[in-house]
Amino acid sequence: MTDRRKLYFFYEEQNKALLERMQPIYRILEEKGFTILNEPKNANAIISVGEDGTFLQALRKTGFRDDCLYAGVSITDETSFYCDFHIDQAEKAIEEITNTEIEVRKYPLIHVTVDHDTSFYCLNEFSLRSSLIKTFAVDVYIDDLHFETFRGDGLVVSTPTGSTAYNKSLHGAVIDPMLPCYQVSELASLNNNSYRTLGSPFLLSGNRALTLKIVQNDNDYPVMGMDNEALSIKHVDQIVIRLSEKGIKTVKLKNNSFWEKVQRTFL
Ligand code: NAP
C-alpha cells in the first residue's frame, strides 16, 4: 500500500461523546500505518462522521476537492444517502476504504455564480427563498431564452443526488446520478393573469445555463441556500447556475447503489 492512501482527515462534530467513540477507530487506523491529519489540505480521504447534513458541511468546509475521496460515517441507527458506513462497523469500513481495488463513483455538483462575483458549489441544491412573509419575483432564463417570470416563495435547483432531499418534498422527480442534469422546482408560485409559471418541476441538460434575475422591488433580500448553509449576500441581481464539470468522489460499495438507497429510504 502506498502512502498516497494513508492520510486521513476526519470531519466531525466537536462533542465529547463522539470524540470518545472515535478514539478506538483512530487507534486501529494508526496501528495500520495511517496518519490522522489535523487539517484537510493534504488528506487523501476526507471522512465525515455524523449524518447527511455533516457530510454536506464536510464538503463545503474542505472546498469540494476532486483530488481526494470523500466518505460518510453514520452515527445514527441507519446509513443514509451520503453516509455509506456505520460507526459501529469501523473495521469493515476501514477495510473497504483502504482496499486497493476500491471502486469509486462520482457525484455531480452544481456551480452557482452570484452577480459575476461570488461562486460556489452545491451537492444537494441551491435554494432561493423569500426572507419575508411576502412573495418576490424572478425572471428565469434557460440559456438566452426568457422562459418565465416566477412570483412566489422561491425556487430550488437540485443536483441528481439532491433530488431525494428538498426537491422531493416539492414533488420533484428522483433523478439517477448517472444523468448529467439538474432540476428546477418551485416553492409556492403565484399563477394568475399577471404571473404564470410552468407549475411543474423541470430538468435541464448539463449543457444549459439557468439564469435567475431577481426583479427588484420592495422584497430585495431573498435568502440563498447552498445545501445546508445560508449565503449572506444582501443585494443580488443575477444568479447563474450550471452543472459543474467537477464532481466529488465517493466509495462505491456492493448492494448500495443510488437506487438501493432510494428503495431502502422511501419504499
Ligand atoms: P435538516 O433540515 O436537519 O434535515 C434534512 C433531512 O434531509 C435530514 O433527514 C437529512 O438526512 C436529509 N437529507 C439530506 N440530504 C439528503 C439527500 N441527498 N437525500 C435524502 N435525504 C437527505 O438539514 P440537514 O441535515 O443539514 O440537510 C440539509 C438538507 O436539508 C438541504 O440540503 C435540503 O436538501 C434539505 N432541506 C429539506 C427541506 C424540506 O424537505 N422541506 C427544507 C430545507 C432543507 P440526515 O438525517 O442523514 O442528515
Side-chain angles (χ1 to χ4, degrees):
M1 194 179 293
T2 64
D3 280 343
R4 203 179 62 76
R5 290 180 167 271
K6 292 196 167 186
L7 300 172
Y8 279 25
F9 174 75
F10 282 81
Y11 182 90
E12 66 220 339
E13 271 174 42
Q14 294 302 306
N15 80 58
K16 198 167 165 255
L18 181 57
L19 290 175
E20 273 170 19
R21 228 171 144 190
M22 289 301 293
Q23 291 315 308
I25 300 175
Y26 292 150
R27 262 199 304 278
I28 298 173
L29 279 168
E30 276 163 359
E31 276 163 22
K32 287 179 183 276
F34 288 81
T35 305
I36 314 294
L37 302 174
N38 291 324
E39 49 134 284
K41 196 166 156 252
N42 297 315
N44 312 117
I46 295 179
I47 306 193
S48 84
V49 185
E51 297 174 59
D52 282 340
T54 322
F55 187 84
L56 294 170
Q57 281 290 306
L59 253 70
R60 189 157 304 285
K61 303 290 183 211
T62 60
F64 289 88
R65 285 180 46 193
D66 56 1
D67 61 345
C68 74
L69 197 64
Y70 282 95
V73 175
S74 169
I75 54 168
T76 60
D77 292 342
E78 304 286 334
T79 55
S80 57
F81 272 87
Y82 297 120
C83 300
D84 294 315
F85 302 100
H86 197 273
I87 193 164
D88 294 334
Q89 294 172 341
E91 296 235 31
K92 187 171 161 251
I94 292 166
E95 230 170 79
E96 303 263 17
I97 301 178
T98 56
N99 184 341
T100 42
E101 278 163 29
I102 197 170
E103 269 198 82
V104 166
R105 71 180 159 200
K106 223 169 167 184
Y107 282 155
L109 299 170
I110 50 175
H111 182 260
V112 182
T113 310
V114 179
D115 287 342
H116 307 284
D117 184 24
T118 310
S119 73
F120 50 85
Y121 294 98
C122 300
L123 177 63
N124 264 355
E125 75 283 296
F126 168 76
S127 50
L128 182 64
R129 301 200 313 207
S130 176
S131 58
L132 307 174
I133 310 294
K134 217 169 169 6
T135 60
F136 70 108
V138 182
D139 281 317
V140 177
Y141 290 79
I142 297 174
D143 294 331
D144 295 329
L145 169 75
H146 179 222
F147 183 61
E148 62 182 21
T149 300
F150 170 94
R151 188 170 189 94
D153 283 2
L155 290 163
V156 172
V157 183
S158 55
T159 65
T161 60
S163 68
T164 48
Y166 203 169
N167 167 75
K168 192 168 184 301
S169 306
L170 302 171
H171 306 292
V174 173
I175 304 298
D176 193 317
M178 290 173 88
L179 287 177
C181 64
Y182 56 103
Q183 184 167 188
V184 185
S185 0
E186 299 180 350
L187 282 165
S189 57
L190 278 182
N191 268 288
N192 54 30
N193 292 335
S194 310
Y195 290 94
R196 177 88 35 222
T197 60
L198 187 62
S200 59
F202 56 92
L203 281 189
L204 291 177
S205 145
N207 296 323
R208 295 201 188 277
L210 177 77
T211 303
L212 307 176
K213 291 189 183 169
I214 296 171
V215 178
Q216 307 299 328
N217 59 13
D218 53 353
N219 184 359
D220 292 345
Y221 303 105
V223 175
M224 286 180 286
M226 324 174 276
D227 299 329
N228 55 1
E229 199 161 304
L231 183 68
S232 58
I233 296 184
K234 280 274 183 260
H235 188 96
V236 172
D237 289 320
Q238 170 175 306
I239 298 147
V240 180
I241 301 153
R242 296 173 191 277
L243 193 71
S244 172
E245 283 174 11
K246 174 166 145 169
I248 60 133
K249 286 184 255 169
T250 62
V251 186
K252 191 171 170 189
L253 299 175
K254 272 199 203 106
N255 308 321
N256 201 30
S257 69
F258 175 75
W259 290 105
E260 278 159 318
K261 291 183 200 190
V262 171
Q263 185 185 46
R264 214 165 45 224
T265 310
F266 300 113
L267 294 174

